[in-house]
C-alpha cells in the first residue's frame, strides 16, 4: 500500500487480557516508531526501530509493553495483562531512514473495559 | 532534554480570519521543529517542518511557521481560515541530525465558525 497501515482499527478487550497491535510500514522504510495518544498524556513516544540496530525502548511505560519488528518490516506491539489506563490510540509511523519525515498510520483505538 | 508548550488547548476563529497557533520549545541543542495536523478519526499529517534552513517555513494548505530562536518559538499561521482547517494541531521537536524521536506538545484544537 501507499501508506502506513495498522490493524485492527479498533480493539475492545477486558482488563487482564493480552492484545497485539500490528503495523505495516511503508515499503522500504527502515525506521519505525510507535506512539500512544491518550487523553491524559497526549502524544507519547513508545519505541523506535532502525534497521538491525537494537530498538530504543525508552518510552515504554512498563514491562507489560513490548514490541518486535520481524524482517525489518512489520511490527507488533504487545500489551500484556491490559489495564484500563492502557486505553488510548496507538499510532505507528515509519520513515525512509533516521532523520527523515515520519508518515503516520491511522492508529488503533484500544479500549480496555 | 527537549520539550514543547502549546499555548491554548482550544482556539476558535471565524472563517476568513487569521489563524495563529502558538508553540514554544525548549532544547539544549539546535532543534528540528514540526507542525502536524490531525483531522477527526485520522492519523497525523505533516504540515511543515523547520530543519535549520530558512526560518520562515511554508507548508501545505496555506500554513506557514516562523522559527524565532530569540523567542524559542515556532508559531503556526494562516492568513485566512477555511472551514476545512478545523482539526487538532500538534507542534513537535526533535534533535537535529538525529533520528526523529518526536516530542509533542499537548495539541491545539482549532474550530472555524461561519
Amino acid at each position: 500500500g501507499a501508506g502506513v497501515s495498522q490493524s485492527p482499527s479498533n480493539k475492545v478487550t477486558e482488563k487482564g487480557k493480552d492484545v497485539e497491535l500490528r503495523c505495516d510500514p511503508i515499503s522500504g522504510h527502515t525506521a519505525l516508531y510507535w506512539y500512544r495518544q491518550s487523553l491524559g498524556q497526549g502524544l507519547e513516544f513508545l519505541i523506535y526501530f532502525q534497521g538491525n540496530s537494537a530498538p530504543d525502548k525508552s518510552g515504554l511505560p512498563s514491562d507489560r509493553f513490548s514490541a518486535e519488528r520481524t524482517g525489518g518490516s512489520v511490527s507488533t506491539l504487545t500489551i500484556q495483562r491490559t489495564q484500563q489506563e492502557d486505553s488510548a490510540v496507538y499510532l505507528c509511523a515509519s520513515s525512509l531512514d533516521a532523520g527523515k519525515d515520519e508518515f503516520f498510520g491511522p492508529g488503533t483505538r484500544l479500549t480496555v473495559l | 532534554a527537549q520539550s514543547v508548550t502549546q499555548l491554548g488547548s482550544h482556539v476558535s476563529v471565524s472563517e476568513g480570519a487569521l489563524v495563529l497557533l502558538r508553540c514554544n520549545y525548549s532544547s539544549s541543542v539546535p532543534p528540528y521543529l514540526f507542525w502536524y495536523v490531525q483531522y477527526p478519526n485520522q492519523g497525523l499529517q505533516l504540515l511543515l517542518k523547520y530543519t535549520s534552513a530558512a526560518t520562515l517555513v511554508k507548508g501545505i494548505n496555506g500554513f506557514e511557521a516562523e522559527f524565532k530562536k530569540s523567542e524559542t518559538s515556532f508559531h503556526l499561521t494562516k492568513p485566512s481560515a477555511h472551514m476545512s482547517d478545523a482539526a487538532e494541531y500538534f507542534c513537535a521537536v526533535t534533535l537535529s541530525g538525529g533520528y526523529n524521536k518526536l516530542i509533542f506538545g499537548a495539541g491545539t484544537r482549532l474550530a472555524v465558525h461561519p
Side-chain angles (χ1 to χ4, degrees):
Chain A
V4 177
S5 60
Q6 293 185 245
S7 60
S9 56
N10 281 281
K11 176 70 177 179
V12 180
T13 190
E14 294 179 348
K15 179 181 173 181
K17 301 284 189 183
D18 298 352
V19 296
E20 285 189 352
L21 312 180
R22 178 187 169 103
C23 172
D24 283 87
I26 294 172
S27 178
H29 280 197
T30 63
L32 186 147
Y33 317 78
W34 283 98
Y35 294 87
R36 178 170 71 173
Q37 186 175 23
S38 57
L39 283 176
Q41 303 297 324
L43 268 160
E44 309 169 90
F45 165 81
L46 295 177
I47 188 169
Y48 161 74
F49 295 90
Q50 171 60 49
N52 296 320
S53 303
D56 176 353
K57 305 180 182 179
S58 60
L60 294 179
S62 77
D63 59 7
R64 296 186 295 104
F65 288 72
S66 63
E68 62 178 24
R69 188 179 185 193
T70 54
S73 181
V74 172
S75 177
T76 302
L77 177 69
T78 301
I79 309 173
Q80 296 179 308
R81 306 180 301 282
T82 52
Q83 303 295 313
Q84 288 183 332
E85 61 263 29
D86 300 334
S87 296
V89 176
Y90 290 81
L91 294 168
C92 177
S94 71
S95 64
L96 187 60
D97 199 351
K100 302 298 184 186
D101 291 352
E102 291 182 43
F103 294 84
F104 283 80
T108 293
R109 181 175 298 277
L110 174 67
T111 303
V112 182
L113 301 176
Chain B
Q2 289 74 37
S3 66
V4 173
T5 302
Q6 291 184 241
L7 296 177
S9 59
H10 290 81
V11 170
S12 182
V13 300
S14 299
E15 190 173 20
L18 171 71
V19 175
L20 171 60
L21 305 182
R22 299 178 185 274
C23 172
N24 288 88
Y25 69 91
S26 172
S27 178
S28 56
V29 297
Y32 285 177
L33 293 158
F34 304 79
W35 276 100
Y36 283 85
V37 61
Q38 186 175 34
Y39 297 102
N41 300 313
Q42 294 188 26
L44 292 165
Q45 181 180 2
L46 180 65
L47 267 181
L48 49 78
K49 65 179 179 180
Y50 165 78
T51 57
S52 74
T55 56
L56 182 62
V57 181
K58 295 186 183 297
I60 62 172
N61 301 338
F63 284 93
E64 62 182 38
E66 186 172 9
F67 172 71
K68 291 187 177 181
K69 184 178 179 180
S70 61
E71 299 177 8
T72 60
S73 70
F74 191 56
H75 301 330
L76 182 70
T77 60
K78 181 173 180 177
S80 177
H82 192 272
M83 297 295 288
S84 60
D85 294 328
E88 189 152 20
Y89 293 79
F90 294 92
C91 184
V93 66
T94 190
L95 292 172
S96 60
Y99 67 80
N100 288 4
K101 177 181 173 178
L102 291 165
I103 308 298
F104 286 91
T108 297
R109 186 168 298 280
L110 175 66
V112 182
H113 51 84

